[in-house]
Amino acid sequence: MSFCFNFAVPAQSTNPDDVDGNKLQNEKKDNAAKHKEDNAKPTEPVKEAKEHLALSDPEFLLRDAVTETVTIGTLPALHFLNETVFEKTASEREDEERILSRTVEQRSDLISGVYEGGLKVWECTYDLLELIEKDGETFAGKAVLDLGCGAGLLGILALQRGARQIHFQDYNSTVIEQLTVPNVILNCQENDEVDSEDDKEGCGKGKVQEEDGCKKKQEEKQEVIDGNPPAKKRAADLSQHQLLAKCRFFSGDWSTFLALVKKEEPQPKYDIIFTSETIYNTAYYPVLHETLHKLLAPDGLVYLATKTHYFGVGGGLHLFETFVEQGGVFTLDHLWDGEEGLQRHVVVLRFRTAKSI
Ligand SMILES: C[S@@+](CC[C@H](N)C(=O)[O-])C[C@H]1O[C@@H](n2cnc3c(N)ncnc32)[C@H](O)[C@@H]1O
């Protein structure tokens, strides 16, 4: 069985006033947020944000892991857990949120307010990676947020390319603990391996070759000898890992995530915010907009990748663009529009003027 694009959305209307301090919502609820399909308010209480401080045991998480690698042009190879295998082993995993069993039972990619889809890599993530490759974005010294990160490939790329700090946020703690963190660890360890191969042989990068400028995925079964993970997977003290030390991991809904980080001194501001396939539900626009507004650095950029329309939930680029335009805080420019039939886009948001910050 494979996950399908079937949004299981309880029918209940949105109460826009729930959104903390969002003046924009009250003023603009006439249009984007009042779309006829805007009935996707979760029936369960939203998940309270928390930071995941104690990172899970990588030996355990990566034991017997089947991984995939994506390489896009000159970008560093990105490694992640294979979603089919992950799905097949779902019943053997502990998961306090019970999202693994529920997604399998309901054959759904998304259960609004319960599971927001982070257990697989969505295709617009690849569009954004390709755009970054063409644009040559360098992350050196930047603070980056991967908002609604899922597998975390965008944040992992920033990490590989020298970002100063990378924060990963996903709605579900299960996603952070069982997918995002293991993926980050996997890439840190692969990075160590490449570095040591480079030291030995003066080569090692670009092991997975690009084909015709397109991404190429590889599946690798990690060898397990006598029940022990291969040497490269035996992590030393992770807390000491240079790359991992730049990362922080958060789960929970955007409003409580924002409240949590706003308490910090100094409050984090990000030079780059990535957000891929996160505008499918118009009910979340106010809080998503507020989060971007409050957390983007004055000269920062939000890279947003999306489908034109999300059938069944009702959100999509046009409605989000209208929402953003009416808010008057950001400009929104199209960086890439899929050719006919693709119906996918990458856009960038910037603050309109310094005054709006
Ligand atoms: C469809 S998944 C996309 C995952 C990933 N960005 C990708 O492209 O593969 C949408 C993500 O948005 C996040 N999300 C959606 N609604 C949210 C909300 N109200 N609060 C917090 N996160 C939310 C979830 O973390 C979820 O993983």
Side-chain angles (χ1 to χ4, degrees):
M1 192 220 97
S2 74
F3 288 114
C4 51
F5 196 81
N6 162 27
F7 291 107
V9 179
Q12 191 181 310
S13 70
T14 306
N15 175 5
D17 300 330
D18 289 347
V19 179
D20 182 75
N22 201 323
K23 154 169 156 276
L24 178 81
Q25 170 60 26
N26 291 330
E27 286 165 9
K28 309 303 177 194
K29 61 185 173 186
D30 58 322
N31 205 340
K34 248 194 163 181
H35 188 264
K36 66 178 171 51
E37 286 178 276
D38 182 7
N39 58 359
K41 178 81 172 169
T43 47
E44 300 193 12
V46 292
K47 291 187 195 283
E48 195 67 30
K50 66 173 181 193
E51 180 166 8
H52 296 250
L53 291 168
L55 298 186
S56 333
D57 172 6
E59 276 200 25
F60 173 73
L61 288 169
L62 297 172
R63 184 179 296 262
D64 293 341
V66 178
T67 64
E68 284 183 48
T69 299
V70 62
T71 306
I72 295 176
T74 55
L75 297 183
L78 303 170
H79 311 283
F80 57 103
L81 298 182
N82 175 283
E83 90 195 30
T84 313
V85 176
F86 191 88
E87 182 193 327
K88 283 196 176 128
T89 55
S91 58
E92 298 154 27
R93 293 165 188 269
E94 293 205 5
D95 145 39
E96 270 177 29
E97 294 180 302
R98 281 197 56 250
I99 62 167
L100 296 167
S101 52
R102 284 168 82 174
T103 48
V104 172
E105 274 159 31
Q106 300 191 20
R107 298 175 66 86
S108 179
D109 271 343
L110 192 145
I111 307 167
S112 186
V114 175
Y115 164 58
E116 294 290 349
L119 289 172
K120 59 175 242 181
V121 181
W122 293 66
E123 55 193 337
C124 294
T125 280
Y126 296 117
D127 296 335
L128 188 40
L129 287 170
E130 286 184 8
L131 187 107
I132 294 165
E133 203 268 327
K134 283 196 198 92
D135 268 22
E137 168 71 61
T138 66
F139 298 93
K142 294 193 174 165
V144 176
L145 171 65
D146 190 343
L147 191 69
C149 61
L153 296 188
L154 297 162
I156 290 169
L157 174 67
L159 177 67
Q160 305 268 42
R161 282 212 152 169
R164 170 168 52 88
Q165 65 176 41
I166 305 93
H167 292 176
F168 294 87
Q169 175 279 336
D170 196 88
Y171 186 75
N172 291 104
S173 55
T174 310
V175 172
I176 290 289
E177 286 169 4
Q178 300 205 22
L179 189 61
T180 322
V181 170
N183 284 345
V184 172
I185 291 171
L186 189 61
N187 283 275
C188 289
Q189 292 178 332
E190 290 290 338
N191 207 55
D192 290 346
E193 212 204 23
V194 169
D195 287 349
S196 64
E197 278 176 23
D198 282 354
D199 291 347
K200 270 194 286 179
E201 299 164 25
C203 63
K205 297 203 196 239
K207 282 186 290 185
V208 181
Q209 296 298 314
E210 181 198 355
E211 280 180 352
D212 301 330
C214 298
K215 60 183 176 278
K216 181 183 173 192
K217 282 185 178 188
Q218 272 203 341
E219 267 188 35
E220 304 170 343
K221 173 96 172 94
Q222 290 175 15
E223 273 178 60
V224 179
I225 304 159
D226 298 334
N228 289 320
K232 68 178 179 180
K233 303 302 169 216
R234 276 185 225 119
D237 182 357
L238 274 172
S239 61
Q240 303 300 313
H241 198 290
Q242 241 187 347
L243 287 181
L244 205 57
K246 296 178 173 187
C247 301
R248 290 173 68 188
F249 301 90
F250 299 88
S251 64
D253 115 279
W254 287 320
S255 61
T256 57
F257 167 66
L258 180 59
L260 184 73
V261 296
K262 270 169 83 177
K263 280 193 224 142
E264 295 191 5
E265 203 47 66
Q267 193 195 303
K269 291 277 182 183
Y270 302 97
D271 303 303
I272 292 178
I273 301 180
F274 287 126
T275 194
S276 163
E277 307 238 18
T278 50
I279 59 165
Y280 48 82
N281 188 337
T282 56
Y284 299 152
Y285 287 4
V287 72
L288 174 60
H289 189 281
E290 179 78 352
T291 305
L292 301 175
H293 185 178
K294 295 297 179 234
L295 296 184
L296 189 67
D299 295 323
L301 301 174
V302 177
Y303 288 102
L304 182 148
T306 181
K307 302 203 169 76
T308 308
H309 186 75
Y310 289 88
F311 294 96
V313 186
L317 185 56
H318 179 66
L319 289 172
F320 188 71
E321 263 187 292
T322 308
F323 193 88
V324 168
E325 200 179 312
Q326 291 175 336
V329 173
F330 296 111
T331 60
L332 185 155
D333 296 297
H334 286 229
L335 296 179
W336 176 81
D337 296 303
E339 317 246 305
E340 222 179 310
L342 274 181
Q343 305 287 303
R344 305 197 304 267
H345 313 265
V346 179
V347 300
V348 63
L349 280 75
R350 298 178 174 86
F351 281 116
R352 220 169 249 283
T353 63
K355 252 178 104 189
S356 63
I357 300 164

